[in-house]
Every structure is written in C-alpha cells, then in structure tokens.
Amino acid sequence: MSEAEKASGQLDPHSATPLYIQLANVIEAAIRAGSLAPDRPIPSEHALADEYGVARLTARRAAQELRERQLIVTVRGKGSFVAKNPPAQA
Amino acid sequence: MSEAEKASGQLDPHSATPLYIQLANVIEAAIRAGSLAPDRPIPSEHALADEYGVARLTARRAAQELRERQLIVTVRGKGSFVAKNPPAQA
DNA sequence: TCAGATTTGTTCGTATGTATT
DNA sequence: CAATACATACGAACAAATCTG
C-alpha cells in the first residue's frame, strides 16, 4: 500500500491496486499492529463501507480476501473476528 | 446436487444450495463426464448466465468456485479453460 | 414466544476498465 | 477499430442467522 494509505487509512480510487485489496491491506495492518485484537470483531461490512467510502460489496471482498489470508473468521449473523493464530506476514 | 439437477442440468432457485454452487456442480459434473474436455474453454459467463437463467455475476461466482476447486483456469480476455490435471473428486 | 435490530449471505442490475483476437 | 471476455466497482433487494428486549 502507498504511504498515504498507511498514514491516513484512506483508499486511493485511482491506484492500480483494487480497492478491496487496498482495504484488506489496511485492515491487515491494523490487525498486525494490534489495533484489532484476536477474537475481537472487526467493523461490520456496513461500517467498513461507510468508513472508507466504498460499496458494501467492496468491503465484503476485502473480508473475503482477509479470510483467504487466514486473518479473520466470519460467522453469519455475528461478524468477522480476528483469527487467533494468523500466519506470519507474507 | 438434486436428482433434478443431475437429470436436467437446470438449477433450482428454491434450493437451499446457492445457485452459484449448483451451477459449479453442474459444470464440474460435465467436466468429469468429459463433456468439457481439458484445455477447451467452458461457456462464457454471459453464455452460462443466459443458459441457466442467472446473472452474470452468479455465473462468475460459479467460475470462481471452479477455480478454487482447480477444475478450470481463467485467462483474462480469453476465457476459462478446463484444467489439464484436475484433483480427484472430493 | 415474539418482535426488532444487526450482520452476513446471496442475487440481480449496471457501468467502466483492460486484455485478447 | 470492433467484438469478445474477464476484472473491478457501484447500487439495490431480500434471505438467513444472531442477539437483545
């Protein structure tokens, strides 16, 4: 992610990197920084969409990306939770 | 998949199984039956959507599912092709 | 038990961009 | 250039699971 993203937590719609990857990267950084603790829920799709100014489906794709990175576990009707044992940084 | 799906190749919108999973199952069956040969393209998203009466994104999700099952390989601008060495049936 | 709010899951529609032929 | 096809992203709607009152 860009320096701007690291600093502000905002996304760059003009970046070659897809928004959902940018968002997944931002959340992964927060998880690895400890801002989002294990077994605690991450913000809901709706909240993420609002916060970052993207569509809910884009936030969903970011969550799917994080599931594939094994950083979160999602439970329908409850939310997505930070994984207890995330793999080492890629 | 249901017996009806096996027999007709049609999908059941009222099934508890998501449409994109049903469609992926139908296509997987076709691949394993040899109706879709290795290195041959499967029908396009638009064609699948038309043929089965689903949205293109649903056909897209079926294709994504098949990619995760390592049954097809998708090449941008060309199409999705039956994998040469698919894993054994799950 | 029930109603409502919250959250994720699925589906459809549409638009724009990019790559290949 | 045009046609085809995949990638991304927006909006909208409803279903299903969960939780709370």
Side-chain angles (χ1 to χ4, degrees):
Chain A
M1 89 192 79
S2 73
E3 290 305 317
E5 285 155 23
K6 282 185 197 169
S8 68
Q10 297 309 300
L11 310 180
D12 176 12
H14 305 101
S15 166
T17 305
L19 281 176
Y20 76 94
I21 295 287
Q22 291 183 49
L23 180 50
N25 287 343
V26 167
I27 299 171
E28 171 165 2
I31 291 174
R32 295 199 182 279
S35 308
L36 296 169
D39 279 334
R40 295 269 305 169
I42 68 173
S44 72
E45 294 170 355
H46 181 75
L48 286 174
D50 259 29
E51 191 173 343
Y52 291 92
V54 298
R56 185 192 154 209
L57 276 190
T58 302
R60 272 188 66 70
R61 282 193 190 134
Q64 178 182 356
E65 176 71 21
L66 291 169
R67 282 194 293 276
E68 288 169 1
R69 295 181 189 178
Q70 301 178 50
L71 289 171
I72 64 172
V73 176
T74 300
V75 182
R76 179 176 184 172
K78 294 185 66 176
S80 288
F81 301 82
V82 178
K84 285 183 282 290
N85 300 105
Q89 190 134 25
Chain B
M1 87 192 77
S2 73
E3 291 302 318
E5 285 157 21
K6 284 184 195 168
S8 68
Q10 297 309 300
L11 311 181
D12 175 13
H14 304 102
S15 167
T17 306
L19 279 176
Y20 78 93
I21 295 288
Q22 291 183 48
L23 180 51
N25 288 343
V26 167
I27 299 171
E28 170 166 3
I31 291 174
R32 294 200 183 279
S35 308
L36 297 169
D39 281 333
R40 294 268 304 169
I42 68 172
S44 72
E45 294 173 357
H46 182 73
L48 286 174
D50 261 27
E51 189 171 346
Y52 291 93
V54 298
R56 178 166 65 88
L57 276 190
T58 301
R60 279 189 56 67
R61 285 196 185 130
Q64 178 182 356
E65 176 69 20
L66 292 168
R67 282 193 293 276
E68 288 169 2
R69 295 181 189 177
Q70 301 180 49
L71 289 170
I72 64 172
V73 176
T74 299
V75 182
R76 183 172 181 173
K78 293 185 66 176
S80 288
F81 301 82
V82 178
K84 285 182 280 291
N85 300 105
Q89 189 134 25

